[in-house]
Amino acid sequence: EDQVTQSPEALRLQEGESSSLNCSYTVSGLRGLFWYRQDPGKGPEFLFTLYSAGEEKEKERLKATLTKKESFLHITAPKPEDSATYLCAVDNYGGATNKLIFGTGTLLAVQP
Amino acid sequence: DAGITQSPRHKVTETGTPVTLRCHQTENHRYMYWYRQDPGHGLRLIHYSYGVKDTDKGEVSDGYSVSRSKTEDFLLTLESATSSQTSVYFCAIRDRGFGAGANVLTFGAGSRLTVL
């Protein structure tokens, strides 16, 4: 069964304290892995797409990496405005119309 | 929210009443989706559409129906609402173009539904 698991469920950091969020997946054939950010009361906002093991993408303090079994979202020197829920989703070759499988997210709180 | 609007944003209704949520897009994207988001479950696909009058079921479609008579509008209907359908509902659109934004879902702001 295709599955996406995110850890930890919640993470509290001090401003400037770098850390990583994990997304492990089990799919029949990975077509793409997506990271989204979701603020309270809003819809998910797209951050990155990764397609193959070894690929990396960066945006400001965020860096996403991909292996054959998991993806990491590295947050370097976070600021309070990085506080949000981060969602991971995968698209597999079994789904003809991009029916993404979402993880349950990591709730990140960055304290000043 | 980048050309995608959901209405209503908030609704409280009673068990057994019909409810329709509307998703409107101005991007002319072919694909539209309805998800529900619940604590501990993440986002789960209810129904999706791959063109006008072309729809299919997702993983949690029981109790829901959809219609798409125009490219820009995708309606989600709960024929007889139940308390288990209390949730936040998100519409999403997707463009199957090429380049950095290809196959990326763009979400609306959500509709919070409470069934008493």
Side-chain angles (χ1 to χ4, degrees):
Chain A
E1 180 184 346
D2 296 336
Q3 195 168 357
V4 176
T5 303
Q6 291 188 246
S7 62
E9 290 186 8
L11 180 63
R12 188 185 300 270
L13 299 174
Q14 291 296 125
E15 184 172 2
E17 180 187 1
S18 301
S19 188
S20 297
L21 313 182
N22 177 264
C23 172
S24 62
Y25 61 90
T26 305
V27 294
S28 52
L30 183 70
R31 181 150 56 183
L33 185 141
F34 301 79
W35 282 99
Y36 285 83
R37 169 190 171 128
Q38 185 174 23
D39 293 302
K42 296 188 177 181
E45 178 184 347
F46 171 71
L47 292 173
F48 305 109
T49 309
L50 302 167
Y51 294 103
S52 58
E55 188 175 0
E56 299 182 353
K57 295 275 180 73
E58 284 189 70
K59 180 180 179 180
E60 296 181 355
R61 295 176 293 282
L62 300 178
K63 179 180 176 181
T65 62
L66 181 65
T67 72
K68 289 186 177 180
K69 293 184 177 181
E70 57 191 350
S71 176
F72 291 93
L73 184 65
H74 306 277
I75 304 175
T76 302
K79 298 182 178 181
E81 54 261 43
D82 294 321
S83 298
T85 297
Y86 290 87
L87 302 173
C88 167
V90 298
D91 178 23
N92 66 356
Y93 280 101
T97 51
N98 194 15
K99 291 187 282 186
L100 298 189
I101 304 166
F102 281 85
T104 53
T106 294
L107 176 60
L108 174 66
V110 182
Q111 296 181 313
Chain B
D1 282 305
I4 178 170
T5 306
Q6 292 184 228
S7 60
R9 294 291 315 279
H10 301 273
K11 186 172 182 66
V12 179
T13 191
E14 293 188 350
T15 298
T17 60
V19 175
T20 296
L21 306 180
R22 179 179 182 242
C23 179
H24 178 77
Q25 62 145 332
T26 58
E27 305 296 319
N28 200 35
H29 286 349
R30 178 181 175 187
Y31 296 89
M32 298 186 75
Y33 304 78
W34 276 107
Y35 285 86
R36 61 179 289 175
Q37 188 174 40
D38 305 285
H41 289 279
L43 283 159
R44 292 180 292 176
L45 181 64
I46 305 171
H47 282 280
Y48 64 97
S49 170
Y50 46 96
V52 174
K53 297 186 180 179
D54 292 323
T55 64
D56 204 349
K57 297 178 180 180
E59 61 178 307
V60 290
S61 59
D62 287 348
Y64 302 95
S65 62
V66 290
S67 65
R68 192 171 179 196
S69 59
K70 299 184 290 184
T71 298
E72 57 266 35
D73 290 325
F74 192 32
L75 303 180
L76 176 71
T77 297
L78 292 65
E79 300 290 346
S80 179
T82 67
S83 58
S84 64
Q85 293 176 311
T86 292
S87 185
V88 181
Y89 292 86
F90 287 99
C91 177
I93 59 176
R94 179 171 72 88
D95 178 18
R96 283 204 74 179
F98 298 92
N103 291 325
V104 171
L105 290 177
T106 300
F107 287 85
S111 295
R112 181 176 294 276
L113 175 67
T114 301
V115 183
L116 302 176

